[in-house]
């Protein structure tokens, strides 16, 4: 049995999700045709988002797309970027560091307000071209804005290995060896960017 | 419960940075707690400034009073913590369901107006009031379809108010839209409402989707017919009243012109 104006409710519910998800994933929305987008949103509604907070439905939408294998690798990269840009905007920036001068003898970890991932595709073109193994760092600035930078594979791997355990020297050595770089040369090259990462609150002692 | 009085405005992100500049013209603000429960530091500081300048009340969206088999205790505790932290006593929700078994539609869906539903909603309101530690105010929602019902809307709402002790948020635009869509006499509805149980009112704009169907979009200016109905309500009892705008939100300056129209009606001009 179809109730009167059931079609209106279908449209209203669709509109709610369409509005939120389009605003949360503007690049992905633009790269997905209208017909496919409509189908994805409708299927997501049936899949059953469970959050009291409308903004969090965007994260559920990404889970839905990944779990149901509805997107390829290039869009997985894009969805990661757009979702974490949104989620990080809800986090506080790191307080100015009181941990003193940057040293290779200390251990560091990525701050909670940072996300790091090796992206294969260039998300800011049309995601169709691979870019090699560059890494993208998304973080909350001291002013509370979400920003991002791309890093080399060397620094990307290094940051990914910083878990607050071993001193940085011990983390750098095996990676430098793998890249055929002497530790003292690696240290000289890394000191400046890593010190600025500490100043930015990207890595914390 | 802190008394609210005068004319209020629904706070929205698009003008949150500038709302303090019109603090002398607005008697209270209404916030949507679900939108403010994950504020970052910058947003918290901004809300602290707002809270310092305005009485603030809360209007929830996701309680889903009609989803009577499911109550999200964790969410209610988080909500209580939020309301307590910001010293917000007045909290309202819609007499509808927005989720079923926890799955959200984010849309206000209608309830069957039956004795069984009254029993179930009253039981849920009791539990909600107990956990939140504050009385609940329920809003008459719009509905575009009538599910199998054994009573009319005033009787349904009246019975829930009487048995739960909750108060009514009388949404004047919703009443107008429902009266048009379902061809009932809005004045007879108002006569059936115990005005002593009305905590405050909402006014908003709606879309004339078809001749026989208006939709409560909160996306356009308030229609003259709704202002007229507000005059009728105020003639019965001077109640606090709040302007809601959720979509298509104009610049604050323009919205305040509409607010001043509401204030003039409230003041009997």
């Amino acid at each position: 049995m179809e109730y009167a104006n059931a079609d209106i409710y279908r449209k209203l519910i669709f509109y709610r999700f369409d509005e939120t998800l389009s605003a949360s994933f503007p690049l992905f929305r633009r790269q997905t045709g209208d017909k496919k987008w409509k189908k994805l949103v409708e299927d997501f509604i049936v899949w059953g988002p469970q959050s009291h907070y409308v903004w969090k439905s965007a994260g559920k939408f990404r889970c839905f797309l990944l779990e149901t294998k509805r997107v390829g690798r290039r869009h997985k990269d894009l969805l990661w970027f757009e979702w974490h840009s949104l989620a990080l905007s809800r986090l506080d920036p790191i307080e100015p560091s009181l941990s003193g001068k940057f040293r290779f003898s200390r251990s560091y970890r990525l701050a909670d307000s940072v996300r790091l991932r090796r992206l294969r595709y260039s998300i800011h073109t049309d995601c169709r071209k691979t870019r090699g193994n560059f890494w993208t760092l998304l973080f909350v600035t001291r002013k509370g804005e979400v920003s991002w930078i791309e890093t080399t594979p060397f620094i990307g791997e290094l940051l990914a290995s910083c878990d607050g355990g071993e001193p940085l020297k011990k983390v750098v050595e095996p990676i430098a060896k793998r890249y055929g770089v002497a530790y003292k040369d690696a240290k000289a090259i890394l000191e400046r960017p890593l010190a600025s990462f500490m100043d930015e609150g990207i890595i914390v002692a | 419960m802190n008394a609210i009085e005068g004319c209020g405005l629904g706070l929205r992100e698009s003008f949150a940075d500038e709302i303090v500049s019109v603090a002398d013209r607005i008697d209270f603000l209404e916030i949507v707690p679900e939108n403010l429960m994950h504020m970052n530091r910058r947003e918290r500081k901004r809300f602290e400034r707002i809270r310092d300048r305005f009485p603030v009340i809360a209007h929830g969206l996701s309680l889903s009073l009609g989803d009577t088999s499911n109550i999200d205790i964790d969410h209610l505790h988080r909500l209580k913590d939020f309301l307590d932290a910001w010293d917000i006593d007045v909290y309202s929700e819609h007499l509808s369901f927005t989720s079923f078994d926890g799955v959200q539609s984010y849309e206000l869906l209608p309830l069957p107006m039956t004795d069984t539903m009254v029993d179930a909603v009253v039981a849920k309101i009791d539990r909600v009031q107990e956990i939140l530690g504050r009385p609940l105010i329920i809003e008459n929602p719009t509905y575009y379809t009538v599910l199998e019902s054994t009573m009319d809307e005033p009787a349904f709402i009246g019975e829930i108010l009487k048995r739960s002790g909750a108060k009514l948020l009388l949404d004047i635009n919703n009443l107008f839209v429902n009266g048009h869509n379902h061809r009932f006499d809005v004045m007879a509805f108002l006569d059936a409402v115990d005005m002593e149980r009305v905590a405050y009112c909402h006014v908003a704009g709606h879309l004339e989707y078809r001749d026989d169907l208006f939709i409560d979009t909160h996306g356009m200016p308030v229609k003259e017919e709704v202002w007229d109905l507000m005059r009728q309500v105020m003639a019965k009892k001077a109640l606090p009243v709040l302007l809601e705008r959720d979509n298509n939100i104009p610049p604050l300056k323009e919205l305040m012109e509409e607010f001043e129209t509401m204030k003039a009606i409230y003041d009997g001009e």
Side-chain angles (χ1 to χ4, degrees):
Chain A
M1 174 187 169
E2 177 95 342
Y3 287 100
N5 294 321
D7 60 318
I8 297 298
Y9 281 109
R10 272 195 290 275
K11 284 178 185 166
L12 288 171
I13 292 170
F14 177 83
Y15 175 74
R16 293 258 178 218
F17 282 91
D18 179 37
E19 185 185 35
T20 299
L21 298 175
S22 296
S24 305
F25 299 104
L27 296 172
F28 176 65
R29 169 69 187 92
R30 211 160 58 216
Q31 292 177 23
T32 308
D34 289 347
K35 196 175 166 187
K36 186 178 177 190
W37 173 260
K38 185 167 183 284
K39 177 84 171 105
L40 289 176
V41 174
E42 285 172 347
D43 289 352
F44 172 57
I45 294 168
V46 173
W47 186 70
Q50 296 191 335
S51 175
H52 288 273
Y53 314 106
V54 179
W55 73 273
K56 283 195 174 180
S57 65
K60 305 281 182 190
F61 182 59
R62 176 172 169 249
C63 292
F64 157 76
L65 295 174
L66 298 179
E67 277 183 27
T68 57
K69 300 183 168 51
R70 304 291 286 271
V71 288
R73 174 66 196 261
R74 67 191 179 97
H75 279 146
K76 281 183 190 171
D77 283 357
L78 181 55
L79 290 165
W80 174 86
F81 183 86
E82 294 201 298
W83 163 244
H84 284 294
S85 298
L86 175 68
L88 287 178
S89 71
R90 300 275 168 166
L91 297 183
D92 289 336
I94 298 294
E95 293 287 354
S97 175
L98 300 173
S99 53
K101 198 170 179 288
F102 170 78
R103 289 191 181 90
F104 280 87
S105 57
R106 303 191 67 169
S107 58
Y108 293 90
R109 64 173 177 81
L110 284 181
D112 295 337
S113 55
V114 173
R115 299 290 179 273
L116 175 72
R117 182 170 162 125
R118 181 169 51 196
L119 299 182
R120 190 180 297 168
Y121 290 87
S122 174
I123 52 176
H124 290 286
T125 55
D126 62 356
C127 284
R128 288 178 195 283
K129 291 177 185 166
T130 55
R131 282 283 309 274
N133 289 327
F134 73 97
W135 291 66
T136 295
L137 198 59
L138 265 170
F139 61 102
V140 184
T141 67
R142 298 270 190 227
K143 287 182 180 171
E145 293 154 352
V146 177
S147 188
W148 62 279
I149 50 176
E150 289 178 359
T151 74
T152 61
F154 190 116
I155 291 182
E157 283 178 43
L158 176 61
L159 291 176
S161 303
C162 286
D163 59 4
E166 291 198 294
L168 193 57
K169 179 176 187 290
K170 295 280 184 195
V171 182
V172 172
E173 280 173 341
I175 298 173
K177 191 174 177 185
R178 210 163 55 244
Y179 278 84
V181 181
Y183 172 69
K184 68 171 188 180
D185 293 336
K187 192 179 166 191
I189 294 166
L190 290 171
E191 181 146 18
R192 210 169 181 181
L194 292 179
S196 80
F197 285 166
M198 194 186 79
D199 292 340
E200 285 282 352
I202 292 171
I203 55 172
V204 290
Chain B
M1 186 190 298
N2 291 347
I4 49 167
E5 51 190 34
C7 293
L9 182 66
L11 179 67
R12 300 295 177 260
E13 176 61 31
S14 66
F15 55 80
D17 284 338
E18 43 181 337
I19 191 68
V20 170
S21 68
V22 289
D24 57 334
R25 295 160 65 189
I26 298 172
D27 298 312
F28 63 98
L29 292 178
E30 184 190 76
I31 54 119
V32 175
E34 287 88 343
N35 292 346
L36 298 182
M37 286 167 73
H38 298 94
M39 287 186 283
N40 62 28
R41 191 186 306 144
R42 186 186 70 80
E43 291 165 335
R44 277 198 304 278
K45 281 187 177 165
R46 181 179 66 185
F47 190 54
E48 277 167 16
R49 288 193 295 275
I50 292 171
R51 187 68 191 88
D52 284 346
R53 297 294 301 274
F54 297 91
V56 171
I57 64 174
H59 184 49
L61 290 176
S62 67
L63 202 53
S64 198
L65 287 171
D67 183 8
T68 54
S69 60
N70 185 57
I71 183 161
D72 188 337
I73 303 290
D74 289 343
H75 173 68
L76 283 171
H77 283 295
R78 285 194 298 271
L79 181 59
K80 177 179 168 35
D81 288 347
F82 173 83
L83 297 173
D84 287 350
W86 293 101
D87 197 20
I88 298 171
D89 289 339
V90 178
Y91 173 66
S92 60
E93 251 290 358
H94 303 85
L95 186 55
S96 61
F97 75 96
T98 52
S99 64
F100 190 75
D101 280 347
V103 175
Q104 299 286 339
S105 73
Y106 304 115
E107 187 56 49
L108 304 172
L109 303 171
L111 303 183
M113 292 181 273
T114 62
D115 290 321
T116 307
M117 185 51 72
V118 169
D119 292 343
V121 168
V122 168
K124 185 158 182 175
I125 290 175
D126 286 348
R127 189 83 177 103
V128 167
Q129 294 186 135
E130 182 190 337
I131 294 171
L132 293 182
R134 43 187 48 79
L136 187 63
I137 300 170
I138 55 171
E139 177 184 329
N140 57 307
T142 46
Y143 50 96
Y144 309 113
T145 191
V146 180
L147 303 178
E148 288 179 45
S149 295
T150 55
M151 61 182 84
D152 63 15
E153 192 187 359
F156 181 63
I157 292 173
E159 191 63 17
I160 290 171
L161 296 180
K162 190 171 78 182
R163 287 179 45 192
S164 67
K167 288 209 164 188
L168 179 65
L169 161 50
L170 176 62
D171 191 307
I172 297 169
N173 179 60
N174 290 355
L175 173 57
F176 177 82
V177 167
N178 288 338
H180 175 85
N181 291 344
H182 305 294
R183 304 279 186 269
F184 66 74
D185 178 359
V186 293
M187 292 313 294
F189 182 107
L190 284 178
D191 288 341
V193 171
D194 176 0
M195 299 304 273
E196 295 307 313
R197 295 211 68 87
V198 180
Y200 69 111
C201 302
H202 274 172
V203 289
H206 61 262
L207 172 71
E208 296 182 357
Y209 183 72
R210 295 191 311 246
D211 285 348
D212 64 338
L213 185 69
F214 293 174
I215 295 181
D216 174 38
T217 56
H218 294 189
M220 16 197 21
V222 179
K223 296 268 184 358
E224 196 50 48
E225 297 92 323
V226 175
W227 291 133
D228 284 342
L229 187 55
M230 178 185 157
R231 289 185 185 93
Q232 304 278 357
V233 171
M234 295 297 140
K236 282 182 168 285
K237 188 170 189 230
L239 292 159
V241 59
L242 178 132
L243 177 64
E244 269 191 314
R245 185 74 177 253
D246 294 313
N247 301 301
N248 238 351
I249 302 173
L252 183 60
K253 191 177 172 198
E254 192 179 323
L255 192 62
M256 288 305 293
E257 288 170 17
E258 194 170 33
F259 180 87
E260 295 299 342
T261 302
M262 180 179 77
K263 203 169 173 62
I265 296 171
Y266 176 82
D267 290 337
E269 292 168 13

